[in-house]
Amino acid sequence: MAGILAWFWNERFWLPHNVTWADLKNTEEATFPQAEDLYLAFPLAFCIFMVRLIFERFVAKPCAIALNIQANGPQIAPPNAILEKVFTAITKHPDEKRLEGLSKQLDWDVRSIQRWFRQRRNQEKPSTLTRFCESMWRFSFYLYVFTYGVRFLKKVGSLKIFYIILMHCWYNYPYQPLTTDLHYYYILELSFYWSLMFSQFTDIKRKDFGIMFLHHLVCIFLITFSYVNNMARVGTLVLCLHDSADALLEAAKMANYAKFQKMCDLLFVMFAVVFITTRLGIFPLWVLNTTLFESWEIVGPYPSWWVFNLLLLLIQGLNCFWSYLIVKIACKAVSRGKAGKWNPLHVSKDDRSDIESSSDEEDSEPPGKNAHTATTTNGTSGTNGYLLTGSCSMDD
């Protein structure tokens, strides 16, 4: 075991050629980041999760009720043993061939079967109240941690002399004492991402589940890696830049759930501007320029330097992906506006929500026999003109 630990903590991997672990030992004059400090993140992540449950139950839920957000879920699909067996054991999204077979077996029209499967899928989706509570918790945390990060960076002068503090991270690399504020900020961020990593499996399922899982994993690695390797100043700047837009997105979601559409639109525009500015604009490029090129000239590349920068580039790649989604939503909003259906965000049905919807008329029609429904030669229903073989769900 001692040999494995010695191999893992090899100085030539983690540190520049002229730095040793002895240089980063705690002394009476200064305290430096230590790997064992991060063990505190696990119990704290559990505490954050418990605080979240209490917050959603006693703070977010009363706020939602005060805003007339009801806990009513989607319409319940009528009981049917055959369709339930297909749904649970075979597929939740039957293809055209299976739909036709079920139609003959049950003597239902295809559209009613499609509606049953849609309603059954929506039964597993959380209510608007649940979504509001989750967004309010995230908004509160992001707002707090971003405010704390700005306060910390302002205290150390990073907001006034952005370039100097970045260079200080590398030029005085082995001599950066760990302050109490920095330690608290790092442990809090790491604990929160650990809680997100585990709660993601119980939270609202979204289309980009895999991307978000990768994001949380990379963030945990990046936070842990930068702390152990004493790159905490750069890490603090990266964390603060990324937290700046998250609170606005959650606020836009809350406004949408409360049906404050104008406020939702305004918050989303603000979110888009802040997101693109802080994740694709001059600030992240400045950070990458410092960590990739200027640090090369000051301390030179070493193995952990490559890992750190690769993680930063991976995070930047994810930022580009999400910027694409934002532009996609904006383009949909513009196209709807031209068509007379301006609805800029609809966060509850955005590209991450995976919620299906349908018209009230469609959901109110009870499933049953369709002896009078005929299929015309163009493949549409002779009574309502809808494509029998088309999808009845509408994922925005």
Side-chain angles (χ1 to χ4, degrees):
M1 180 61 69
I4 295 177
L5 290 176
W7 169 82
F8 181 80
W9 294 111
N10 189 298
E11 293 175 346
R12 298 286 61 82
F13 172 82
W14 291 95
L15 304 174
H17 67 279
N18 60 340
V19 181
T20 65
W21 291 119
D23 297 324
L24 301 177
K25 288 291 184 181
N26 292 334
T27 64
E28 295 182 358
E29 293 79 16
T31 302
F32 295 95
Q34 304 295 320
E36 53 267 23
D37 296 343
L38 300 179
Y39 293 143
L40 182 62
F42 293 103
L44 189 56
F46 176 76
C47 292
I48 289 177
F49 183 74
M50 297 306 296
V51 170
R52 170 188 171 174
L53 296 181
I54 296 173
F55 179 90
E56 291 183 354
R57 174 65 179 84
F58 296 102
V59 178
K61 187 174 181 180
C63 291
I65 294 175
L67 293 171
N68 296 321
I69 298 177
Q70 303 300 321
N72 298 333
Q75 184 175 348
I76 304 299
N80 188 290
I82 296 176
L83 295 181
E84 184 68 26
K85 183 177 181 180
V86 173
F87 182 87
T88 57
I90 302 177
T91 178
K92 297 181 179 181
H93 299 270
D95 55 19
E96 180 182 350
K97 183 178 180 180
R98 190 175 298 278
L99 287 172
E100 292 177 353
L102 291 171
S103 176
K104 294 178 181 178
Q105 184 178 358
L106 297 173
D107 197 19
W108 286 14
D109 63 279
V110 173
R111 186 166 178 76
S112 295
I113 297 176
Q114 287 177 321
R115 180 168 53 252
W116 188 95
F117 274 94
R118 182 180 60 258
Q119 292 174 350
R120 183 63 181 84
R121 288 193 296 268
N122 286 342
Q123 279 182 222
E124 300 182 348
K125 309 296 183 181
S127 65
T128 303
L129 186 143
T130 302
R131 293 169 175 274
F132 180 90
C133 292
E134 178 185 320
S135 292
M136 188 171 181
W137 158 251
R138 296 196 180 199
F139 166 77
S140 302
F141 182 87
Y142 287 136
L143 181 63
Y144 167 73
V145 77
F146 173 68
T147 304
Y148 185 89
V150 170
R151 172 182 167 272
F152 169 73
L153 292 177
K154 184 178 180 180
K155 184 178 179 180
V156 299
S158 294
L159 298 182
K160 293 182 179 179
I161 318 174
F162 192 88
Y163 177 78
I164 293 177
I165 198 65
L166 281 172
M167 294 301 297
H168 175 74
C169 297
W170 297 99
Y171 187 71
N172 293 325
Y173 174 81
Y175 307 106
Q176 294 176 32
L178 178 67
T179 64
T180 303
D181 289 339
L182 181 58
H183 176 261
Y184 172 78
Y185 184 63
Y186 246 74
I187 296 299
L188 184 63
E189 288 274 15
L190 181 60
S191 302
F192 179 69
Y193 278 109
W194 271 119
S195 69
L196 285 182
M197 175 72 77
F198 297 121
S199 64
Q200 189 180 11
F201 295 94
T202 59
D203 284 345
I204 300 167
K205 296 297 186 298
R206 294 184 169 94
K207 290 180 179 179
D208 64 346
F209 176 88
I211 297 294
M212 288 303 298
F213 185 83
L214 176 63
H215 173 265
H216 298 336
L217 192 64
V218 172
C219 284
I220 288 172
F221 274 118
L222 193 57
I223 294 172
T224 303
F225 194 87
S226 60
Y227 186 87
V228 173
N229 210 20
N230 204 18
M231 300 176 181
R233 293 289 180 86
V234 174
T236 303
L237 289 169
V238 173
L239 287 171
C240 194
L241 285 174
H242 281 69
D243 289 336
S244 60
D246 293 332
L248 290 171
L249 176 60
E250 299 303 331
K253 290 183 179 182
M254 288 192 297
N256 184 74
Y257 299 145
K259 302 187 184 303
F260 299 151
Q261 195 60 48
K262 290 184 178 180
M263 181 183 296
C264 172
D265 300 343
L266 176 62
L267 288 169
F268 178 71
V269 171
M270 294 172 59
F271 159 74
V273 172
V274 173
F275 184 94
I276 294 176
T277 301
T278 57
R279 303 201 188 187
L280 292 181
I282 186 172
F283 296 114
L285 295 179
W286 204 342
V287 172
L288 288 173
N289 176 68
T290 301
T291 59
L292 279 171
F293 302 108
E294 296 177 357
S295 65
W296 181 299
E297 299 176 359
I298 296 172
V299 297
Y302 49 97
S304 65
W305 179 93
W306 288 104
V307 175
F308 180 76
N309 282 286
L310 285 174
L311 290 174
L312 283 179
L313 290 173
L314 182 56
I315 286 288
Q316 194 62 21
L318 293 175
N319 289 337
C320 293
F321 170 76
W322 282 312
S323 297
Y324 158 75
L325 291 184
I326 292 173
V327 173
K328 184 179 178 181
I329 294 172
C331 290
K332 285 184 178 181
V334 171
S335 63
R336 287 173 180 171
K338 291 179 179 179
K341 298 180 180 179
W342 175 251
N343 191 6
L345 181 56
H346 255 294
V347 184
S348 61
K349 295 181 288 184
D350 64 3
D351 286 300
R352 294 185 53 203
S353 65
D354 198 26
I355 273 289
E356 298 171 288
S357 63
S358 59
S359 65
D360 295 336
E361 177 185 357
E362 183 179 336
D363 284 341
S364 62
E365 179 185 347
K369 295 182 180 181
N370 190 23
H372 302 290
T373 302
T375 303
T376 62
T377 55
N378 61 1
T380 61
S381 169
T383 58
N384 56 22
Y386 283 96
L387 287 172
L388 289 178
T389 58
S391 173
C392 292
S393 64
M394 186 174 59
D395 292 334
D396 288 336

